[in-house]
Amino acid sequence: MRFAHLGDCHIGAWRDKKLKELNLQTFITALDSCVNQKVDFIIISGDLFDTTLPDLSLVKKAVEKIKEVKDQGIPFYITYGSHDFAPNAVSIIDILTSSGLFTKVVDAKIVDEKVQLNFIQDLKTGAKITGLSGRRLGLEKKYYNILDIESLEKEQGFKIFVFHNAIIELRSKTASYPEGVPISCFPKGFDYYAGGHVHEKIEKEITNYGLLAYPGALFGSTFTDLEHTGKGEKRGFYIIDFDDKITNTQFIDVNLSKVFFKQINADKKTARQVEEILKKAASECEAKDKIALLKVAGELSLGKPSDINFNAIKQILIEKQAIFASINHYSLSTEEKLELKIKGENRQEIETKILDDMACSFKIDPALESEVKSKIENKLAAQNGINLARNLLSSLGIEKNEGEKKKDFEKRVLQNTLHLLGLEEVEQ
Ligand SMILES: [Mn+2]
């Protein structure tokens, strides 16, 4: 018996049309490969889609393929990720689950203030599957803390735990995931722990637990992901063979197009020198049919980043028939100190640095009552404050869906916000 484990497909990610299409094609190829490998079922450990309601033309193509696979007798077991889940909003996953296309892994109820999980049993193989969904920015911690572990450990049979979060003990490889739960939150003795959320491939046998694996992002949803691909990170999914125990694991590569990546250090160089180096790197790159990414970081000794004609360099790569070309210069600054004070690789990192900075200088009015003070401190100081700010940023940044009434949209934003501020009870 065998199953496939995919994670973090992020269908609908990418604004660029070609990357968007490649991302989808990678998913389709992965499913074809599952059929060829004659898997009995497929687990998707969250972030199948990049948003709760992605571009419907992409959903249509993905669903056609999923249906085709399902019609061959291969069921899908799926959890929400941090991207395709939103409190109080209907996710495309809900719609597809209602249609019978997927089985949702998480079957939870709260009994005596504990989260009780039921197992879903795969009819053909008898495998028992359960798990927890992801939440935006680590809200899942709360659920792990009140998880009824005992009943999960008592269950007999071949057991799979599906989850969507980073694990603190695996931090070395997951440093870019500040939120995580310790492995002690998980029930012991499962045969396989099917992870999502971490975009790099990790496979580890954990004593007293079992085999824990993250397949990583199938294609990648950010330039940082693609840079990792360019540095040699494998992209694909797992196929696991089992009888009453796991008998074999293999990682299936699904790399439809190569990524060329080169990083250039700009420290102590002038803007003109850096431009020359970038031009040379672009001219020497065998960019044909590749995703070509250049990255330049450091502090210029003379001139400003805006003195460099990045567009012209990109053009060189396009003329060499790169599928896609990009030059990342967000971490380039100048000694002239006219530019940004905060540097970061991407928007998220810059946000994090700004919020960290602000959290450090957070002060509470000493004139307040002590009860109010401790309440405020609990919600707004240190890491809690940073988490809340980040959650609010993403919650307030959601867009109105096509066809959604302004009133409904406002209600959705308000409900999400109240939920994050803990001003409203939400049904699980
Ligand atoms: Mn993800």
Side-chain angles (χ1 to χ4, degrees):
M1 299 179 284
R2 62 176 14 177
F3 67 90
H5 169 205
L6 284 79
D8 295 277
C9 309
H10 286 272
I11 294 165
W14 301 107
R15 208 173 301 164
D16 177 80
K17 242 179 123 185
K18 282 185 192 156
L19 293 182
K20 203 180 252 190
E21 187 58 31
L22 256 178
N23 190 11
L24 177 70
Q25 279 311 321
T26 309
F27 176 71
I28 288 173
T29 307
L31 290 198
D32 282 336
S33 167
C34 288
V35 173
N36 291 336
Q37 299 269 354
K38 300 195 166 52
V39 303
D40 295 300
F41 60 88
I42 296 172
I43 289 177
I44 299 178
S45 50
D47 286 354
L48 170 58
F49 294 101
D50 193 58
T51 58
T52 48
L53 281 179
D55 178 346
L56 286 180
S57 66
L58 292 170
V59 174
K60 178 174 179 280
K61 287 181 195 160
V63 163
E64 276 166 4
K65 182 48 85 175
I66 293 167
K67 173 102 176 33
E68 182 192 312
V69 174
K70 191 176 183 275
D71 286 347
Q72 299 195 41
I74 304 174
F76 286 79
Y77 300 102
I78 183 164
T79 58
Y80 292 112
S82 37
H83 281 256
D84 45 25
F85 172 83
N88 295 314
V90 174
S91 165
I92 188 74
I93 304 282
D94 297 313
I95 297 166
L96 298 178
T97 304
S98 308
S99 75
L101 203 57
F102 299 138
T103 303
K104 250 199 288 190
V105 166
V106 184
D107 178 11
K109 60 176 188 281
I110 299 195
V111 182
D112 296 333
E113 293 179 359
K114 287 230 152 208
V115 174
Q116 261 183 19
L117 296 178
N118 285 322
F119 283 89
I120 309 277
Q121 187 161 28
D122 178 61
L123 285 178
K124 199 165 142 207
T125 64
K128 292 174 177 175
I129 307 165
T130 189
L132 280 175
S133 287
R135 297 281 189 276
R136 272 225 183 246
L137 299 167
L139 290 175
E140 70 271 352
K141 242 190 219 166
K142 191 171 126 195
Y143 300 98
Y144 276 101
N145 285 335
I146 54 169
L147 185 61
D148 179 5
I149 283 184
E150 211 179 303
S151 68
L152 294 175
E153 290 180 347
K154 264 202 305 221
E155 185 81 22
Q156 300 294 312
F158 185 87
K159 293 188 290 183
I160 301 171
F161 191 84
V162 189
F163 64 100
H164 188 89
N165 54 261
I167 293 173
I168 287 168
E169 285 85 351
L170 301 174
R171 182 116 315 156
S172 61
K173 243 211 152 177
T174 60
S176 44
Y177 302 86
E179 290 288 331
V181 299
I183 187 77
S184 58
C185 284
F186 286 71
K188 292 195 178 86
F190 276 60
D191 295 278
Y192 188 77
Y193 296 81
H197 189 54
V198 171
H199 281 197
E200 279 114 275
K201 170 179 171 274
I202 302 178
E203 188 183 334
K204 206 170 158 63
E205 186 69 42
I206 298 181
T207 319
N208 295 329
Y209 287 83
L211 180 65
L212 190 147
Y214 288 99
L218 191 59
F219 175 79
S221 60
T222 64
F223 284 114
T224 310
D225 288 343
L226 292 184
E227 285 173 8
H228 283 142
T229 315
K231 286 180 195 164
E233 178 73 35
K234 283 191 171 181
R235 298 294 179 199
F237 65 96
Y238 280 103
I239 287 189
I240 310 292
D241 294 331
F242 67 102
D243 36 48
D244 49 350
K245 290 277 155 220
I246 290 174
T247 54
N248 190 43
T249 53
Q250 51 176 322
F251 189 79
I252 310 290
D253 276 290
V254 191
N255 234 338
L256 295 191
S257 53
K258 291 222 159 60
V259 179
F260 170 87
F261 174 64
K262 186 165 182 165
Q263 177 151 3
I264 284 139
N265 181 359
D267 275 338
K268 299 194 172 62
K269 295 185 185 90
T270 66
R272 177 160 297 190
Q273 281 170 330
V274 168
E275 188 169 74
E276 285 312 309
I277 295 170
L278 281 169
K279 266 190 191 151
K280 189 160 174 276
S283 318
E284 284 170 4
C285 163
E286 286 173 23
K288 192 171 180 329
D289 296 332
K290 285 184 190 161
I291 297 168
L293 306 175
L294 291 174
K295 181 176 181 175
V296 54
E299 201 171 64
L300 295 170
S301 60
L302 188 71
K304 298 187 294 296
S306 57
D307 296 339
I308 300 169
N309 188 347
F310 293 109
N311 234 347
I313 296 154
K314 205 169 125 177
Q315 214 46 51
I316 298 174
L317 294 167
I318 300 281
E319 273 159 26
K320 296 186 125 201
Q321 293 180 297
I323 300 173
F324 178 83
S326 158
I327 299 155
N328 175 342
H329 51 88
Y330 298 118
S331 304
L332 183 65
S333 63
T334 169
E335 274 185 13
E336 293 179 13
K337 295 281 179 240
L338 299 166
E339 305 271 311
L340 290 169
K341 265 196 198 154
I342 304 259
K343 279 194 284 181
E345 300 267 313
N346 50 41
R347 198 192 69 192
Q348 206 182 3
E349 200 181 314
I350 294 168
E351 268 174 23
T352 304
K353 284 185 181 171
I354 292 173
L355 292 174
D356 282 351
D357 254 23
M358 293 177 82
C360 284
S361 52
F362 177 75
K363 285 200 187 69
I364 299 171
D365 184 350
L368 287 170
E369 267 178 63
S370 67
E371 197 188 328
V372 179
K373 254 199 281 190
S374 77
K375 261 191 191 162
I376 293 179
E377 196 152 44
N378 190 20
K379 273 235 177 297
L380 298 180
Q383 194 58 43
N384 286 353
I386 297 175
N387 288 349
L388 179 62
R390 290 174 74 180
N391 282 325
L392 283 173
L393 261 179
S394 82
S395 164
L396 294 170
I398 59 172
E399 280 174 30
K400 190 166 151 298
N401 297 320
E402 209 171 307
E404 187 178 30
K405 284 192 187 123
K406 192 166 166 246
K407 211 174 82 190
D408 292 338
F409 172 60
E410 283 172 358
K411 196 173 153 200
R412 189 156 65 91
V413 172
L414 181 68
Q415 277 181 344
N416 277 347
T417 309
L418 288 174
H419 170 70
L420 289 170
L421 292 168
L423 295 172
E424 178 213 47
E425 278 297 301
V426 176
E427 277 172 55
Q428 219 356 79

